Amino acid sequence: QVQLVDSGGGLVQAGGSLRLSCAASTRIFSTYTMGWFRQRPGKEREFVAVINWSSASIYYADSVKGRFTISRDNAKNTVYLQMDSLKPEDTAVYYCATKRTPWLSGTYYSVADFSSWGQGTQVTVSS
């Protein structure tokens, strides 16, 4: 139902920064909860950050708290992930996604609760 295009990944040294972007095709983007997930080689896709339609509710994985910031611009149908103080362990393919259920149903962190996914963008952090 929703097409997502994520971008902004690249190669950066430890301690550096990157900003990921995710553009959505839906005309009702402003009603969607949006999340970021990542997947490292040999591991399951894991939750990174989530933001509700109004930006009033935001949650982060413990591993990125204080370093990553999720935000959105509903007028541009775009969600962002600002990544600062990057560590080699942050190396992964990052995916944006739309939450399948209303904010108060399901969870904000489960892959199963998100219905549409971007193609992924590679982030590599060198030590």
Side-chain angles (χ1 to χ4, degrees):
Q1 296 293 329
V2 181
Q3 296 183 46
L4 302 173
V5 179
D6 37 30
S7 61
L11 175 64
V12 65
Q13 294 184 9
S17 299
L18 285 172
R19 189 184 75 158
L20 307 184
S21 299
C22 175
S25 63
T26 178
R27 295 189 298 272
I28 54 173
F29 175 82
S30 62
T31 70
Y32 280 73
T33 294
M34 300 294 300
W36 286 97
F37 293 76
R38 67 186 181 187
Q39 189 165 18
R40 287 171 275 187
K43 296 185 177 181
E44 300 292 327
R45 192 168 299 184
E46 65 180 356
F47 167 77
V48 174
V50 67
I51 186 169
N52 82 325
W53 73 272
S54 68
S55 301
S57 296
I58 296 174
Y59 296 100
Y60 298 95
D62 288 342
S63 59
V64 306
K65 286 180 180 177
R67 300 189 299 118
F68 290 12
T69 303
I70 188 172
S71 62
R72 66 192 298 161
D73 185 339
N74 289 341
K76 296 183 177 180
N77 285 9
T78 302
V79 63
Y80 305 95
L81 185 68
Q82 177 67 42
M83 305 184 294
D84 298 320
S85 301
L86 283 163
K87 305 175 181 179
E89 65 191 63
D90 295 319
T91 295
V93 178
Y94 284 72
Y95 301 87
C96 65
T98 59
K99 192 174 186 294
R100 184 172 186 173
T101 56
W103 177 255
L104 294 179
S105 66
T107 74
Y108 63 78
Y109 57 82
S110 176
V111 168
D113 288 329
F114 288 75
S115 58
S116 298
W117 296 83
Q119 81 285 355
T121 184
Q122 176 71 48
V123 172
T124 302
V125 184
S126 62
S127 60

